[in-house]
Amino acid sequence: MRLKTSLLKEPKHILYFLNLIKHKELVSCVGWTTADELYSCSDDHQIMKWNLLTSETTRVVKLPDDIYPIDLHWFPRSIGGKKQSHAESFVLTSSDGKFHLISKSGRVEKSVEAHCGAVLAGRWNYEGTALVTVGEDGQVKIWSKSGMLRSTLAQQGTPVYSVAWGPDSEKVLYTSGKHLIIKPLQPNAKVLQWKAHDGLILKTDWNSVNDLILSAGEDCKYKVWDSYGRLLYSSQPHEYPITSVAWAVDGELFAVGSFHTLRLCDKTGWSYALEKPNTGSIFNIAWSIDGTQLAGACGNGHVIFAHVVEQRWEWKNFEITLIKRRTMEVHNVINDAVDLLEFRDRVIKASLNYGHLVVSTSLQCYVFSTKNWNTPLIFDLKEGTVSLILQAERHFLLVDGGGLYLYSYEGRLISSPKFPGMRTDILNAQTVSLSNDTLAVKDKADEKVIYIFEALSGKPLGDGKPLTHKTEIVEIALDQKGLTSERKIAFIDKNRDLYITSVKRFGKEQKIVKIGTMVQTLAWNDTSNILCGIQDTRFTVWYYPNAVYVDKDLLPKTLYEKDASEFSKNPQIVSFVGNQITIRRADGSLIHLNISPYPAILHEYVSSSKWEDAVRLCRFVKDQTMWACLAAMAVANKDMATAEIAYASTGEIDKVQYINSIKDLPSKESRMAHILLFSGNTQEAETLLLQTGLIYQAIQVNINLYNWDRALELAVKHKTHVDTVLAYRQKFLEDFGKKETNKRFLQYAEGLEVDWNKIKAKIEMEIARERERAAASPAVRA
């Protein structure tokens, strides 16, 4: 990926003296109105409009000679897909201590005395309900959208050079000398402050999508921070102070400006491209709404434009490169075939997966099959620029400012899920996940909540309640294969713990189980439900994560682990296709890892119920990990014969004996209940026995687990085997030399003589009755 820059031969911002001498005045700020239209302000007091489609530059207005513009920020265009009425205006801050609300036509609607000394920066919040300004007087002020002062948020002893809103518009980030400060709007809320640079901080930016902070200063470095003030990346010192930094809207890229320097960086801080244009210092950078280009305000009177080109996408044997703004090159590495894909408008987003390339331009969406690059399916997009494309095997998701749209690969709109307070402008690949039947979206308003939808209908899944976790969630991912009823979602919370749970939720609280700690990044395999992640210093593959619901003891035996120190700091898993995992290190280099192909083959055999083939494969591979996976898979699918073989091969003799005892049980219901018990699902086992009338067996299960209160409760409720429960309780206490203290047991034991012969006879009668019942019901027996 690189930047293609363009500069005019002569700057447009020029001051003439006596109509003879011309002086190039610095451009102080720039801002995009649309993806092809830019406004720029300069010390020549002019506001210029640049139209990139017609290459025309026109003067919008000439400001009074005492107004020297410093910063410009356009009012947010839309919220939740709805256009704002004020969207055709911007705020301009100036050196005379005022900020000015100016319409698109250049009319100054209002000028407000804001600070003593220059107003160094002004920013609308994401909803357009408030404006923050900072100035040379060290004050941080909050204003209404009409320009009325709401509060003075802070008073610093030094000038505040830059300011940015937090993603939720509830916090403000500003500079204070060498420090960065995050201050909530609520009074008495905790303020976060840290030393960020060794020199004066000149610029900062906070992205609403990835929640990361940029800072740049006179120490000639730029840095990336998380919202807790933890350093994620620090650049090497440049030749000159860094005068500007800015995030692209989607948070995937950012740009850095300095003297004769423009740099394009990945969100991890790694530099994709370095340009050395003749610009002087770049004081301000603005990204276009679609994230395909940027503009810079230059110290020599120029406005520099730069387009992002040579983006690359890879899938299996295909490599696709955006060689021009409207042209892609497809390279098949197997036969060296090359195809050129031409588009009517510039490419904004693209995704290559599951045998399809999905490309969104400014007006249309193109769907290509990897089997035929000549005849794409084309459909017009709804209003709004696509900010995210996610693919599953059967369909894909487009996210724009207006909503979420699921399309089939034939171009048919399948559904458009919605939830309360939905903000699509802040969604990314870590907070949205798609599978063949399910869509999961993390809620930004409450980050402990995940909304789960049926893909085909767009309605909430199950009982309609979202999935709720105890702490904030950072990243989510749905598995890709298998039945909807078995669909699992994995997620990482802010403590970097990895959890897994089922997406099907009806009434009762779903069990959320932790399967990893210190996990930085994760990905599901595209063809089987194998999960991989990087946790602390280890690269880990969970060959069968569902084992945690079947037999927790087996989970550690189903893992593959490898030292991850070679991946350096903050690596990201890019893809997990087939048995190849692609990881990108913090320096931008890609590492390809191959894992054993056998677990995926085992998954395939089990999904097709080819148990004999699965056993044969494990015997051929002779690997304990494979046997552990097979044991868990067999128990999950109630195939106890295969489970017995697999457990025997892993040396779990006690479990083999228990499986043998299950096989000897007379009825199918008893066997099913004990298989549930084997997996630790006590409540489900009891419910199954009670529903099928096996009351004694339900009581005996609780006795065996020493759930005495529940055993007595069932016996009293169903008026049977009260004496059996009391007898076992008495024997239990005698074995430990204890006396009964439970009032309920003392109440029912009063005057009762324990007759073990009588109790044994009753138990034998229950077993005989169950056998008779099983024999009389061949359909149930089968």
Side-chain angles (χ1 to χ4, degrees):
M1 198 184 304
R2 67 180 182 86
L3 288 172
K4 186 179 179 183
T5 60
S6 59
L7 277 169
L8 296 177
K9 286 183 180 178
E10 282 292 323
K12 292 289 182 179
H13 286 285
I14 295 174
L15 260 181
Y16 288 90
F17 297 101
L18 304 172
N19 296 323
L20 296 172
I21 308 166
K22 59 183 181 179
H23 186 265
K24 300 175 183 177
E25 290 291 339
L26 72 83
V27 181
S28 56
C29 48
V30 288
W32 297 85
T33 56
T34 67
D36 295 301
E37 188 178 80
L38 180 93
Y39 276 46
S40 65
C41 301
S42 164
D43 279 2
D44 65 358
H45 315 292
Q46 295 184 100
I47 298 178
M48 308 286 283
K49 179 167 72 176
W50 306 70
N51 189 317
L52 272 66
L53 293 177
T54 60
S55 299
E56 289 179 358
T57 311
T58 53
R59 188 169 81 175
V60 178
V61 68
K62 171 83 164 58
L63 298 169
D65 288 348
D66 59 337
I67 295 180
Y68 287 87
I70 295 176
D71 195 22
L72 172 158
H73 193 226
W74 281 91
F75 195 87
R77 289 179 75 228
S78 62
I79 296 296
K82 296 176 184 175
K83 283 201 168 183
Q84 297 269 62
S85 57
H86 287 66
E88 299 294 291
S89 65
F90 60 92
V91 62
L92 183 75
T93 70
S94 58
S95 60
D96 58 356
K98 297 179 182 178
F99 69 81
H100 314 273
L101 302 179
I102 304 175
S103 70
K104 193 175 180 181
S105 61
R107 189 161 62 90
V108 179
E109 306 282 355
K110 192 172 188 179
S111 293
V112 179
E113 289 275 0
H115 293 264
C116 295
V119 185
L120 297 176
R123 285 287 177 271
W124 295 107
N125 69 358
Y126 293 101
E127 292 78 29
T129 54
L131 170 73
V132 62
T133 61
V134 295
E136 280 186 329
D137 57 2
Q139 292 190 333
V140 181
K141 293 184 175 182
I142 308 294
W143 309 80
S144 71
K145 66 179 176 183
S146 60
M148 300 294 289
L149 180 64
R150 285 185 182 168
S151 66
T152 300
L153 193 66
Q155 170 71 66
Q156 301 296 122
T158 56
V160 179
Y161 286 96
S162 188
V163 67
W165 287 94
D168 56 2
S169 296
E170 294 294 325
K171 295 187 281 287
V172 169
L173 164 74
Y174 57 91
T175 67
S176 175
K178 300 175 183 180
H179 292 78
L180 285 175
I181 300 173
I182 296 176
K183 185 160 186 179
L185 298 187
Q186 293 86 6
N188 304 321
K190 188 180 176 184
V191 177
L192 181 64
Q193 176 173 337
W194 70 98
K195 185 184 176 185
H197 287 262
D198 294 325
L200 195 68
I201 301 173
L202 299 174
K203 273 287 193 292
T204 188
D205 196 11
W206 193 347
N207 187 261
S208 63
V209 179
N210 61 29
D211 200 21
L212 297 180
I213 292 166
L214 287 174
S215 64
E218 288 189 341
D219 60 357
C220 305
K221 292 180 180 179
Y222 63 87
K223 297 183 180 183
V224 183
W225 312 84
D226 69 9
S227 55
Y228 301 101
R230 294 178 295 209
L231 181 64
L232 302 180
Y233 179 84
S234 177
S235 73
Q236 293 297 314
H238 288 57
E239 286 183 78
Y240 302 98
I242 309 291
T243 47
S244 56
V245 284
W247 282 109
V249 180
D250 63 5
E252 291 299 314
L253 301 169
F254 66 88
V256 178
S258 182
F259 183 74
H260 288 341
T261 303
L262 182 62
R263 191 183 283 276
L264 176 69
C265 299
D266 174 78
K267 64 181 177 185
T268 58
W270 179 72
S271 176
Y272 273 117
L274 175 64
E275 299 292 326
K276 289 286 189 179
N278 183 25
T279 56
S281 291
I282 298 176
F283 291 110
N284 182 243
I285 293 173
W287 283 86
S288 65
I289 295 153
D290 58 18
T292 61
Q293 56 194 333
L294 59 92
C298 307
N300 62 359
H302 278 284
V303 173
I304 185 171
F305 292 93
H307 307 289
V308 180
V309 294
E310 292 185 14
Q311 287 173 277
R312 290 172 64 171
W313 297 267
E314 292 178 4
W315 182 76
K316 292 191 174 178
N317 54 300
F318 292 100
E319 186 181 74
I320 296 177
T321 309
L322 183 68
I323 55 174
K324 294 178 183 175
R325 298 173 71 198
R326 300 176 186 177
T327 309
M328 282 180 158
E329 182 183 85
V330 181
H331 181 207
N332 186 336
V333 296
I334 291 177
N335 57 16
D336 258 355
V338 174
D339 291 276
L340 284 180
L341 311 178
E342 299 279 352
F343 301 94
R344 193 182 73 185
D345 306 293
R346 69 174 173 280
V347 173
I348 292 171
K349 286 281 175 187
S351 176
L352 176 63
N353 220 331
Y354 297 103
H356 291 88
L357 170 68
V358 181
V359 179
S360 75
T361 66
S362 48
L363 297 171
Q364 294 176 310
C365 181
Y366 295 72
V367 182
F368 296 86
S369 167
T370 54
K371 295 172 184 174
N372 180 9
W373 296 106
N374 299 320
T375 52
L377 187 138
I378 306 169
F379 60 90
D380 291 335
L381 289 168
K382 294 181 185 291
E383 203 173 326
T385 300
V386 172
S387 58
L388 179 67
I389 303 173
L390 284 183
Q391 288 180 259
E393 189 179 12
R394 295 179 194 160
H395 43 237
F396 63 93
L397 175 77
L398 296 182
V399 180
D400 66 19
L404 305 164
Y405 306 99
L406 266 166
Y407 288 92
S408 70
Y409 286 110
E410 289 76 46
R412 180 174 55 86
L413 179 63
I414 298 170
S415 65
S416 181
K418 289 180 174 61
F419 58 89
M422 183 171 76
R423 269 188 65 189
T424 55
D425 58 317
I426 55 175
L427 297 177
N428 62 13
Q430 282 72 49
T431 56
V432 188
S433 187
L434 179 68
S435 70
N436 282 335
D437 43 50
T438 311
L439 173 69
V441 184
K442 189 187 89 169
D443 186 14
K444 191 66 183 177
D446 182 355
E447 296 197 344
K448 299 175 183 177
V449 171
I450 302 172
Y451 289 99
I452 300 171
F453 303 94
E454 291 177 358
L456 296 181
S457 66
K459 294 177 181 174
L461 196 67
D463 58 5
K465 293 179 183 175
L467 190 153
T468 306
H469 187 49
K470 57 191 177 187
T471 55
E472 289 89 344
I473 294 162
V474 176
E475 186 172 347
I476 64 174
L478 288 163
D479 64 12
Q480 297 298 309
K481 302 301 284 186
L483 303 171
T484 312
S485 57
E486 296 169 1
R487 181 74 56 237
K488 296 286 187 294
I489 184 168
F491 60 87
I492 303 170
D493 68 11
K494 77 167 184 180
N495 298 322
R496 289 290 159 189
D497 291 328
L498 173 61
Y499 291 84
I500 189 169
T501 186
S502 174
V503 299
K504 276 281 185 184
R505 312 175 78 248
F506 290 98
K508 65 183 178 123
E509 198 62 35
Q510 182 61 45
K511 204 191 296 183
I512 300 174
V513 187
K514 181 160 78 171
I515 61 169
T517 57
M518 296 301 290
V519 180
Q520 300 166 41
T521 176
L522 79 158
W524 286 97
N525 186 256
D526 65 332
T527 54
S528 52
N529 290 337
I530 299 173
L531 181 67
C532 73
I534 296 173
Q535 47 176 352
D536 204 9
T537 57
R538 300 186 317 283
F539 169 73
T540 307
V541 180
W542 290 264
Y543 284 131
Y544 188 58
N546 198 44
V548 77
Y549 288 105
V550 178
D551 183 351
K552 277 187 179 179
D553 300 335
L554 274 182
L555 185 68
K557 297 180 179 181
T558 63
L559 304 183
Y560 165 76
E561 292 187 312
K562 181 183 186 302
D563 179 49
S565 56
E566 64 177 290
F567 305 143
S568 73
K569 193 181 176 184
N570 296 327
Q572 290 291 315
I573 297 173
V574 177
S575 65
F576 186 6
V577 177
N579 61 323
Q580 188 180 77
I581 298 149
T582 304
I583 297 170
R584 199 179 66 203
R585 304 198 323 174
D587 64 1
S589 59
L590 293 176
I591 296 175
H592 300 284
L593 289 180
N594 285 302
I595 61 166
S596 169
Y598 297 121
I601 298 169
L602 185 65
H603 273 272
E604 196 177 320
Y605 282 152
V606 169
S607 64
S608 308
S609 298
K610 295 178 180 177
W611 295 104
E612 288 180 10
D613 289 342
V615 171
R616 203 175 293 121
L617 175 68
C618 290
R619 283 178 176 151
F620 168 73
V621 177
K622 296 177 184 173
D623 180 16
Q624 287 292 299
T625 306
M626 292 284 286
W627 282 116
C629 289
L630 181 59
M633 290 171 177
V635 173
N637 287 276
K638 315 292 188 291
D639 190 310
M640 301 317 284
T642 306
E644 187 180 356
I645 296 167
Y647 273 113
S649 300
T650 59
E652 305 261 5
I653 304 305
D654 55 332
K655 290 173 182 173
V656 173
Q657 289 175 335
Y658 187 75
I659 290 167
N660 271 320
S661 70
I662 292 174
K663 286 158 68 178
D664 293 337
L665 292 169
S667 69
K668 183 184 176 185
E669 291 86 351
S670 281
R671 289 194 293 276
M672 286 289 292
H674 279 79
I675 290 169
L676 286 168
L677 277 174
F678 185 86
S679 301
N681 299 315
T682 312
Q683 190 61 51
E684 288 89 335
E686 183 194 287
T687 305
L688 175 63
L689 291 168
L690 292 174
Q691 284 175 347
T692 50
L694 299 172
I695 309 300
Y696 166 69
Q697 284 83 346
I699 293 169
Q700 189 63 49
V701 160
N702 283 290
I703 291 171
N704 292 344
L705 293 171
Y706 306 117
N707 292 337
W708 299 109
D709 288 325
R710 180 61 180 162
L712 183 61
E713 185 187 325
L714 288 173
V716 170
K717 182 180 177 182
H718 295 280
K719 298 176 182 176
T720 181
H721 287 284
V722 176
D723 56 342
T724 306
V725 177
L726 294 171
Y728 275 106
R729 170 77 170 184
Q730 187 178 320
K731 185 175 183 302
F732 169 76
L733 292 171
E734 285 172 1
D735 289 345
F736 287 93
K738 303 266 185 185
K739 285 192 175 181
E740 184 63 79
T741 56
N742 189 311
K743 288 181 181 178
R744 201 139 187 261
F745 276 91
L746 287 169
Q747 177 193 335
Y748 284 101
E750 198 174 334
L752 182 75
E753 290 282 331
V754 173
D755 185 347
W756 274 104
N757 291 327
K758 191 176 175 184
I759 287 168
K760 284 176 183 173
K762 280 175 74 176
I763 292 170
E764 285 170 6
M765 196 183 298
E766 289 282 1
I767 293 168
R769 197 178 297 154
E770 187 182 348
R771 282 203 177 96
E772 285 172 18
R773 178 178 163 182
S777 307
V780 172
R781 179 104 178 141

